[in-house]
Amino acid sequence: MMRRWFDGSALLYWLLIGLVLFAYMAPVYVAITQTFPLHDVAPPLALNLLALVVLLATYKPVWRWVQPRVHHVVYAADEPNIDVIGQISNTLAGAPSDSSMLATIAETIAQIVKVPYVQVGLLDGTTAAVGTARPALVYTRVDITYGAVLVGWLEVGSRLPGEPLTNGEYQLLNHLARQVGITLHAAQLNEALQASREQIVTAREEERRRIRRDLHDGLGPTLAGLRMQLSALRHSLRSDPDTAEIVLDSLRDDVRAATADIRRLVYDLRPPLLDEHGLLGSIRHLSNILDGATLTLDAPATLPLLPAAVEVAVYRIASEAVQNVAKHANASACTVQLALDVHMLTLRVTDNGTGLPNDYTAGVGFASMRERAAELGGQLVIEPVPGGGTCIMATIPCRVRV
Amino acid sequence: MYMEAPMSRLTRATALRIAAGITAVLSLIEIFVYQLPYLIRGQTAVDLDAAQTGGPPFFLIPIQFALHAIALVAAYGAWRGQRWGVVLLIVLSVLNIIPGLLGALFAPSPGTRIYAVVSVILDILIIVLCLWRERKSAGQVAHVS
C-alpha cells in the first residue's frame, strides 16, 4: 500500500502535542517565576532555573499522560455508527468470495479502526494479516460468529505499545466482527452449495452410467438372445416340436432373468415397497431379513408426506442397518425408532447383540449409510449400546409440516 | 500480560460535555460582559481607556470576539462528540491561555487578575477534559506477545 506524501493526521497530532505541552509549560513557568514578589517583571536567573528544573522533572509524566490521549483524539475510530457499519458492509459486499476476501476484510478493518495490525483467521487455519505484528503492541482478539456458530477470529494490535483499545473501539470491533461473520458464513455456505451441486451432478452422471451399463450389459444381451431364440423357435416350431419345446423353456428362463434384471434396476432407482407400503410399512417388511430376531418399530402412527429423497435415504439406511444386525450382531431383538420434528428426522436402529468389536473398522456398508445421510445434509453416528449391542443413529434435515 | 483496570466513573462523552459547557459559559461571559461593551463604545474610547488604565487595545477586541464565537461552535461540536469540535476546543483553549496569562500578569485591577487566573485554570481543565479517556474494559485485552 502506498504511503501518502502528506499525512494530515500526523501534522494535527504534533500540532496538538505542541499546543497542549505549551498549555502546560506556560502557566507553570508563569506561576513559578511570577508568584514570588521578589522582582518586578523580569524574573531572576534563579527562578528561571527553578522553573526549568520543575518543567524537566515533570516532563516525563506529563508526556506520558498527554501523548496517548492526543493520539487517541487524532487517530481513534469513532464510536460505532451507521457510516462505519455501512462502510464495512459496502466493502464486504464487493469482496470476492475466495481466499483474498480475508485480506480485504483485514485491510478494511485496519482502515476503519485505524490500527497498525489486523489478522483475520478461519477455523480451518486460513489467515490473512495486514501490517506487522510487533511484540510491544497489545493485542485484542474478538470471535467472529454467525448466530451461535463460531466462524473465525479477529486479532487487532494496538496503535501504541502498552495502550489497549478503548471500550468504544472494542464495541466497534465487535460490530465489525458480526458483519464479517455474516459475510464469511455466507461465503462458506456458497462454497458448500457449490460443492453440493458438483456432488449432485457427479452422482447423477454416475447413476446414469450405472443404468446404461446395466441396460447395455444385462438387459440388452438378454433381449438380443431372446430375439435369436425366437427366430430359432420360428424355424423349428413345425419341423422339430421337441427342439421348439426346449427353446421355449430356455426362452421362459431368459424372460424370467430379464424380468428380474428390470426389477433390480427399478428397485435401485426407488424401492417399490415404498410406493406400495409407504416408509413405515417398508421398514416393517425388513423383519423378513432378520433370522430369528424380532423387529420392533417405534414410530408415529402416520408420517407426513416426506420428500422422496429423504424416504429413500431413510429406508436404505434402515435396510442396511437391519441387514448388518442379521449378518453380524447375533441379536435377539432389533428396534427401529423414527422420530420427526419440524426440521429433523431421526432414525435410530438399535440391537441387543454382541456389539462392535474393539478392532472394528468401518466397511462399505457403513460408508454407504454415511454418504446417504451426508448427501441430504445429515449425519450418521455409530455407537455401542450400554449393556451390549449397537446403535446406528442417522439425523437428516427435513422440512415437513408435522 | 493480562491487563485489567477498573472502569472510570467519568465517561469520555460526559467529560466532553462538561468541557463544552465550561467553554460555552466562559465564551458567553467574555462576549457579553467584555467584548460587546468594548465594541459598542468604539475604538477611540477604548484606546483612550487603554492608554489611561492599561486596558486591552481595541484591535484585540474583534479578534477575541471572533475566537469566542468560534469557541461556541467548537463547544457544540465537542458536545456532540465530534472530533473537529474537540480539536478546535483544544486549540482555542491554548490560544485563550496566552491572553489569560498576560491578564494575570498585567491586568490593571486585582479582580481582573483573579478572573484571568481562573480563566487560565478553566482552560487547562477544558484541555484535560478534551483529552479524557475512559479506562479499558476488563478482559478485552488478550495478550502482549
Side-chain angles (χ1 to χ4, degrees), chain A residues 254-297:
Chain A
D254 285 352
V255 168
R256 188 181 294 136
T259 309
D261 271 356
I262 290 172
R263 276 199 185 130
R264 186 178 54 76
L265 206 61
V266 169
Y267 183 85
D268 285 347
L269 293 174
R270 179 177 162 86
L273 276 174
L274 284 175
D275 293 328
E276 291 171 24
H277 303 289
L279 180 59
L280 295 179
S282 303
I283 292 175
R284 276 194 200 96
H285 266 78
L286 293 175
S287 61
N288 299 333
I289 301 172
L290 292 170
D291 186 21
T294 56
L295 186 136
T296 309
L297 178 61

Short mmCIF file of all heavy atoms in Angstrom, two decimals, chain A residues 254-297:
data_model
loop_
_atom_site.label_atom_id
_atom_site.label_comp_id
_atom_site.label_asym_id
_atom_site.label_seq_id
_atom_site.Cartn_x
_atom_site.Cartn_y
_atom_site.Cartn_z
N ASP A 254 -35.03 -67.14 -19.76
CA ASP A 254 -34.41 -65.85 -20.11
C ASP A 254 -35.34 -64.68 -19.83
O ASP A 254 -34.91 -63.61 -19.37
CB ASP A 254 -33.98 -65.84 -21.59
CG ASP A 254 -32.72 -66.69 -21.80
OD1 ASP A 254 -32.14 -67.12 -20.77
OD2 ASP A 254 -32.33 -66.91 -22.96
N VAL A 255 -36.62 -64.87 -20.12
CA VAL A 255 -37.59 -63.79 -19.83
C VAL A 255 -37.67 -63.56 -18.33
O VAL A 255 -37.73 -62.42 -17.85
CB VAL A 255 -38.99 -64.14 -20.40
CG1 VAL A 255 -40.06 -63.20 -19.86
CG2 VAL A 255 -38.97 -64.07 -21.91
N ARG A 256 -37.60 -64.67 -17.57
CA ARG A 256 -37.63 -64.53 -16.10
C ARG A 256 -36.38 -63.74 -15.63
O ARG A 256 -36.47 -62.85 -14.79
CB ARG A 256 -37.64 -65.91 -15.46
CG ARG A 256 -37.87 -65.85 -13.94
CD ARG A 256 -37.85 -67.24 -13.32
NE ARG A 256 -38.98 -68.05 -13.79
CZ ARG A 256 -38.89 -69.33 -14.17
NH1 ARG A 256 -37.73 -69.95 -14.17
NH2 ARG A 256 -39.96 -69.99 -14.56
N ALA A 257 -35.24 -64.08 -16.23
CA ALA A 257 -34.00 -63.37 -15.86
C ALA A 257 -34.09 -61.89 -16.24
O ALA A 257 -33.67 -61.01 -15.46
CB ALA A 257 -32.80 -64.00 -16.56
N ALA A 258 -34.66 -61.63 -17.42
CA ALA A 258 -34.80 -60.22 -17.86
C ALA A 258 -35.73 -59.47 -16.92
O ALA A 258 -35.47 -58.30 -16.56
CB ALA A 258 -35.32 -60.17 -19.29
N THR A 259 -36.81 -60.14 -16.53
CA THR A 259 -37.75 -59.51 -15.60
C THR A 259 -37.06 -59.20 -14.27
O THR A 259 -37.25 -58.13 -13.68
CB THR A 259 -38.95 -60.44 -15.36
OG1 THR A 259 -39.46 -60.85 -16.61
CG2 THR A 259 -40.03 -59.73 -14.57
N ALA A 260 -36.24 -60.15 -13.80
CA ALA A 260 -35.50 -59.93 -12.54
C ALA A 260 -34.54 -58.75 -12.69
O ALA A 260 -34.40 -57.93 -11.76
CB ALA A 260 -34.75 -61.19 -12.17
N ASP A 261 -33.90 -58.70 -13.89
CA ASP A 261 -32.98 -57.56 -14.14
C ASP A 261 -33.73 -56.23 -14.05
O ASP A 261 -33.26 -55.26 -13.45
CB ASP A 261 -32.35 -57.70 -15.53
CG ASP A 261 -31.07 -58.52 -15.46
OD1 ASP A 261 -30.68 -58.88 -14.32
OD2 ASP A 261 -30.47 -58.79 -16.52
N ILE A 262 -34.90 -56.21 -14.70
CA ILE A 262 -35.68 -54.96 -14.70
C ILE A 262 -36.12 -54.61 -13.27
O ILE A 262 -36.06 -53.45 -12.86
CB ILE A 262 -36.90 -55.10 -15.64
CG1 ILE A 262 -36.41 -55.14 -17.09
CG2 ILE A 262 -37.87 -53.94 -15.45
CD1 ILE A 262 -37.49 -55.46 -18.10
N ARG A 263 -36.52 -55.66 -12.53
CA ARG A 263 -36.94 -55.42 -11.14
C ARG A 263 -35.79 -54.82 -10.32
O ARG A 263 -35.97 -53.89 -9.55
CB ARG A 263 -37.40 -56.73 -10.50
CG ARG A 263 -38.84 -57.06 -10.81
CD ARG A 263 -39.38 -58.07 -9.81
NE ARG A 263 -40.73 -58.46 -10.20
CZ ARG A 263 -41.14 -59.70 -10.31
NH1 ARG A 263 -40.31 -60.69 -10.06
NH2 ARG A 263 -42.38 -59.97 -10.65
N ARG A 264 -34.60 -55.42 -10.53
CA ARG A 264 -33.44 -54.92 -9.78
C ARG A 264 -33.12 -53.47 -10.15
O ARG A 264 -32.84 -52.63 -9.30
CB ARG A 264 -32.23 -55.81 -10.07
CG ARG A 264 -31.00 -55.47 -9.23
CD ARG A 264 -29.86 -56.42 -9.53
NE ARG A 264 -29.53 -56.47 -10.97
CZ ARG A 264 -28.85 -55.51 -11.59
NH1 ARG A 264 -28.44 -54.46 -10.94
NH2 ARG A 264 -28.59 -55.61 -12.88
N LEU A 265 -33.25 -53.21 -11.45
CA LEU A 265 -33.00 -51.85 -11.94
C LEU A 265 -33.98 -50.87 -11.31
O LEU A 265 -33.61 -49.80 -10.83
CB LEU A 265 -33.13 -51.85 -13.46
CG LEU A 265 -32.36 -50.78 -14.23
CD1 LEU A 265 -30.87 -50.94 -13.98
CD2 LEU A 265 -32.66 -50.89 -15.71
N VAL A 266 -35.25 -51.28 -11.33
CA VAL A 266 -36.29 -50.42 -10.77
C VAL A 266 -36.08 -50.26 -9.26
O VAL A 266 -36.22 -49.18 -8.70
CB VAL A 266 -37.69 -51.02 -11.06
CG1 VAL A 266 -38.77 -50.31 -10.27
CG2 VAL A 266 -37.98 -50.91 -12.55
N TYR A 267 -35.72 -51.35 -8.60
CA TYR A 267 -35.51 -51.32 -7.15
C TYR A 267 -34.37 -50.37 -6.81
O TYR A 267 -34.43 -49.63 -5.82
CB TYR A 267 -35.20 -52.72 -6.64
CG TYR A 267 -35.04 -52.78 -5.15
CD1 TYR A 267 -36.15 -52.92 -4.31
CD2 TYR A 267 -33.77 -52.70 -4.57
CE1 TYR A 267 -36.00 -52.96 -2.93
CE2 TYR A 267 -33.62 -52.73 -3.20
CZ TYR A 267 -34.73 -52.87 -2.38
OH TYR A 267 -34.58 -52.90 -1.03
N ASP A 268 -33.30 -50.39 -7.64
CA ASP A 268 -32.16 -49.50 -7.38
C ASP A 268 -32.57 -48.04 -7.51
O ASP A 268 -32.04 -47.16 -6.84
CB ASP A 268 -31.01 -49.81 -8.33
CG ASP A 268 -30.29 -51.09 -7.92
OD1 ASP A 268 -30.54 -51.55 -6.78
OD2 ASP A 268 -29.53 -51.64 -8.73
N LEU A 269 -33.49 -47.77 -8.45
CA LEU A 269 -33.94 -46.39 -8.63
C LEU A 269 -34.78 -45.95 -7.43
O LEU A 269 -34.60 -44.88 -6.89
CB LEU A 269 -34.75 -46.24 -9.91
CG LEU A 269 -33.96 -46.43 -11.21
CD1 LEU A 269 -34.89 -46.39 -12.39
CD2 LEU A 269 -32.90 -45.33 -11.35
N ARG A 270 -35.73 -46.77 -7.04
CA ARG A 270 -36.55 -46.49 -5.87
C ARG A 270 -37.22 -47.78 -5.45
O ARG A 270 -37.90 -48.43 -6.27
CB ARG A 270 -37.62 -45.44 -6.21
CG ARG A 270 -38.54 -45.11 -5.03
CD ARG A 270 -39.51 -44.03 -5.40
NE ARG A 270 -40.63 -43.98 -4.48
CZ ARG A 270 -40.62 -43.30 -3.34
NH1 ARG A 270 -39.57 -42.64 -2.99
NH2 ARG A 270 -41.67 -43.31 -2.54
N PRO A 271 -37.02 -48.20 -4.21
CA PRO A 271 -37.61 -49.46 -3.78
C PRO A 271 -39.13 -49.44 -3.99
O PRO A 271 -39.80 -48.55 -3.47
CB PRO A 271 -37.27 -49.52 -2.30
CG PRO A 271 -36.10 -48.64 -2.14
CD PRO A 271 -36.24 -47.56 -3.16
N PRO A 272 -39.66 -50.39 -4.72
CA PRO A 272 -41.11 -50.41 -4.99
C PRO A 272 -41.94 -50.53 -3.71
O PRO A 272 -43.06 -50.06 -3.67
CB PRO A 272 -41.30 -51.65 -5.87
CG PRO A 272 -39.95 -51.98 -6.38
CD PRO A 272 -38.97 -51.50 -5.40
N LEU A 273 -41.30 -51.12 -2.67
CA LEU A 273 -42.03 -51.25 -1.41
C LEU A 273 -42.50 -49.89 -0.88
O LEU A 273 -43.56 -49.78 -0.27
CB LEU A 273 -41.12 -51.90 -0.36
CG LEU A 273 -41.04 -53.41 -0.36
CD1 LEU A 273 -39.99 -53.89 0.64
CD2 LEU A 273 -42.39 -54.01 0.00
N LEU A 274 -41.67 -48.88 -1.12
CA LEU A 274 -42.02 -47.55 -0.63
C LEU A 274 -43.32 -47.06 -1.24
O LEU A 274 -44.13 -46.41 -0.58
CB LEU A 274 -40.89 -46.55 -0.94
CG LEU A 274 -39.64 -46.64 -0.05
CD1 LEU A 274 -38.56 -45.70 -0.55
CD2 LEU A 274 -39.99 -46.32 1.40
N ASP A 275 -43.50 -47.36 -2.52
CA ASP A 275 -44.75 -46.93 -3.18
C ASP A 275 -45.92 -47.80 -2.74
O ASP A 275 -47.05 -47.32 -2.63
CB ASP A 275 -44.58 -47.00 -4.70
CG ASP A 275 -43.56 -45.97 -5.19
OD1 ASP A 275 -43.49 -44.90 -4.56
OD2 ASP A 275 -42.84 -46.27 -6.16
N GLU A 276 -45.62 -49.08 -2.49
CA GLU A 276 -46.72 -50.00 -2.15
C GLU A 276 -47.15 -49.84 -0.69
O GLU A 276 -48.34 -49.81 -0.38
CB GLU A 276 -46.27 -51.45 -2.39
CG GLU A 276 -46.07 -51.78 -3.86
CD GLU A 276 -45.42 -53.14 -4.02
OE1 GLU A 276 -45.55 -53.97 -3.10
OE2 GLU A 276 -44.78 -53.36 -5.06
N HIS A 277 -46.17 -49.73 0.22
CA HIS A 277 -46.49 -49.76 1.66
C HIS A 277 -46.13 -48.49 2.41
O HIS A 277 -46.40 -48.40 3.62
CB HIS A 277 -45.77 -50.94 2.33
CG HIS A 277 -46.08 -52.25 1.70
ND1 HIS A 277 -47.30 -52.87 1.83
CD2 HIS A 277 -45.34 -53.07 0.90
CE1 HIS A 277 -47.30 -54.02 1.16
NE2 HIS A 277 -46.12 -54.16 0.57
N GLY A 278 -45.51 -47.59 1.75
CA GLY A 278 -45.05 -46.39 2.47
C GLY A 278 -43.79 -46.70 3.26
O GLY A 278 -43.33 -47.85 3.33
N LEU A 279 -43.21 -45.65 3.89
CA LEU A 279 -41.94 -45.83 4.61
C LEU A 279 -42.10 -46.77 5.81
O LEU A 279 -41.29 -47.69 5.99
CB LEU A 279 -41.40 -44.46 5.06
CG LEU A 279 -40.07 -44.49 5.82
CD1 LEU A 279 -38.97 -45.11 4.98
CD2 LEU A 279 -39.66 -43.07 6.23
N LEU A 280 -43.14 -46.54 6.61
CA LEU A 280 -43.30 -47.36 7.82
C LEU A 280 -43.54 -48.83 7.45
O LEU A 280 -42.95 -49.74 8.04
CB LEU A 280 -44.46 -46.82 8.66
CG LEU A 280 -44.25 -45.42 9.25
CD1 LEU A 280 -45.46 -44.99 10.05
CD2 LEU A 280 -43.01 -45.40 10.13
N GLY A 281 -44.40 -49.06 6.45
CA GLY A 281 -44.68 -50.43 6.01
C GLY A 281 -43.44 -51.10 5.45
O GLY A 281 -43.18 -52.29 5.72
N SER A 282 -42.65 -50.34 4.72
CA SER A 282 -41.42 -50.90 4.14
C SER A 282 -40.45 -51.30 5.23
O SER A 282 -39.79 -52.34 5.14
CB SER A 282 -40.76 -49.86 3.22
OG SER A 282 -41.67 -49.47 2.23
N ILE A 283 -40.35 -50.44 6.27
CA ILE A 283 -39.44 -50.77 7.38
C ILE A 283 -39.94 -52.01 8.10
O ILE A 283 -39.15 -52.89 8.51
CB ILE A 283 -39.29 -49.56 8.33
CG1 ILE A 283 -38.54 -48.43 7.63
CG2 ILE A 283 -38.54 -49.96 9.60
CD1 ILE A 283 -38.45 -47.15 8.42
N ARG A 284 -41.27 -52.13 8.26
CA ARG A 284 -41.82 -53.34 8.92
C ARG A 284 -41.44 -54.60 8.11
O ARG A 284 -41.15 -55.64 8.68
CB ARG A 284 -43.34 -53.24 9.01
CG ARG A 284 -43.79 -52.44 10.22
CD ARG A 284 -45.27 -52.60 10.51
NE ARG A 284 -45.70 -51.48 11.35
CZ ARG A 284 -46.27 -50.38 10.89
NH1 ARG A 284 -46.53 -50.25 9.60
NH2 ARG A 284 -46.60 -49.41 11.71
N HIS A 285 -41.42 -54.46 6.79
CA HIS A 285 -41.05 -55.59 5.94
C HIS A 285 -39.62 -56.05 6.16
O HIS A 285 -39.25 -57.16 5.77
CB HIS A 285 -41.24 -55.24 4.47
CG HIS A 285 -42.59 -55.64 3.95
ND1 HIS A 285 -43.72 -54.91 4.20
CD2 HIS A 285 -42.98 -56.72 3.23
CE1 HIS A 285 -44.76 -55.49 3.64
NE2 HIS A 285 -44.34 -56.61 3.04
N LEU A 286 -38.79 -55.19 6.74
CA LEU A 286 -37.40 -55.57 6.97
C LEU A 286 -37.27 -56.71 7.97
O LEU A 286 -36.21 -57.33 8.09
CB LEU A 286 -36.58 -54.35 7.48
CG LEU A 286 -36.41 -53.22 6.47
CD1 LEU A 286 -35.70 -52.05 7.12
CD2 LEU A 286 -35.63 -53.71 5.24
N SER A 287 -38.36 -56.98 8.69
CA SER A 287 -38.32 -58.10 9.65
C SER A 287 -38.05 -59.43 8.93
O SER A 287 -37.56 -60.38 9.53
CB SER A 287 -39.63 -58.17 10.44
OG SER A 287 -40.69 -58.38 9.54
N ASN A 288 -38.39 -59.48 7.63
CA ASN A 288 -38.12 -60.69 6.84
C ASN A 288 -36.63 -61.00 6.77
O ASN A 288 -36.23 -62.15 6.60
CB ASN A 288 -38.66 -60.54 5.42
CG ASN A 288 -40.16 -60.32 5.43
OD1 ASN A 288 -40.84 -60.76 6.37
ND2 ASN A 288 -40.68 -59.65 4.41
N ILE A 289 -35.83 -59.91 6.85
CA ILE A 289 -34.38 -60.11 6.75
C ILE A 289 -33.84 -60.79 7.99
O ILE A 289 -32.94 -61.62 7.94
CB ILE A 289 -33.66 -58.75 6.56
CG1 ILE A 289 -34.15 -58.04 5.31
CG2 ILE A 289 -32.15 -58.94 6.50
CD1 ILE A 289 -33.65 -56.63 5.16
N LEU A 290 -34.40 -60.39 9.16
CA LEU A 290 -33.89 -60.90 10.43
C LEU A 290 -34.25 -62.37 10.58
O LEU A 290 -35.39 -62.76 10.37
CB LEU A 290 -34.48 -60.09 11.59
CG LEU A 290 -34.02 -58.63 11.69
CD1 LEU A 290 -34.85 -57.91 12.72
CD2 LEU A 290 -32.55 -58.56 12.03
N ASP A 291 -33.25 -63.13 10.94
CA ASP A 291 -33.46 -64.57 11.07
C ASP A 291 -33.57 -64.91 12.55
O ASP A 291 -32.56 -65.01 13.25
CB ASP A 291 -32.29 -65.32 10.43
CG ASP A 291 -32.55 -66.81 10.43
OD1 ASP A 291 -33.73 -67.21 10.55
OD2 ASP A 291 -31.57 -67.56 10.35
N GLY A 292 -34.79 -65.02 13.05
CA GLY A 292 -34.99 -65.38 14.45
C GLY A 292 -35.10 -64.21 15.39
O GLY A 292 -35.63 -64.35 16.49
N ALA A 293 -34.61 -63.05 14.99
CA ALA A 293 -34.69 -61.88 15.86
C ALA A 293 -36.00 -61.13 15.59
O ALA A 293 -36.55 -61.21 14.49
CB ALA A 293 -33.51 -60.96 15.60
N THR A 294 -36.46 -60.42 16.61
CA THR A 294 -37.70 -59.66 16.44
C THR A 294 -37.37 -58.23 16.07
O THR A 294 -36.39 -57.66 16.55
CB THR A 294 -38.52 -59.65 17.73
OG1 THR A 294 -37.70 -59.12 18.78
CG2 THR A 294 -39.01 -61.03 18.10
N LEU A 295 -38.20 -57.68 15.24
CA LEU A 295 -38.01 -56.27 14.86
C LEU A 295 -39.17 -55.45 15.41
O LEU A 295 -40.33 -55.78 15.19
CB LEU A 295 -37.94 -56.12 13.34
CG LEU A 295 -37.61 -54.71 12.86
CD1 LEU A 295 -36.59 -54.75 11.74
CD2 LEU A 295 -38.85 -53.97 12.40
N THR A 296 -38.84 -54.41 16.16
CA THR A 296 -39.85 -53.53 16.72
C THR A 296 -39.72 -52.17 16.07
O THR A 296 -38.62 -51.62 15.99
CB THR A 296 -39.65 -53.37 18.24
OG1 THR A 296 -39.54 -54.67 18.81
CG2 THR A 296 -40.82 -52.63 18.88
N LEU A 297 -40.83 -51.67 15.61
CA LEU A 297 -40.83 -50.33 15.00
C LEU A 297 -41.47 -49.35 15.96
O LEU A 297 -42.64 -49.50 16.34
CB LEU A 297 -41.58 -50.35 13.67
CG LEU A 297 -41.69 -49.01 12.96
CD1 LEU A 297 -40.32 -48.45 12.61
CD2 LEU A 297 -42.54 -49.13 11.70
#
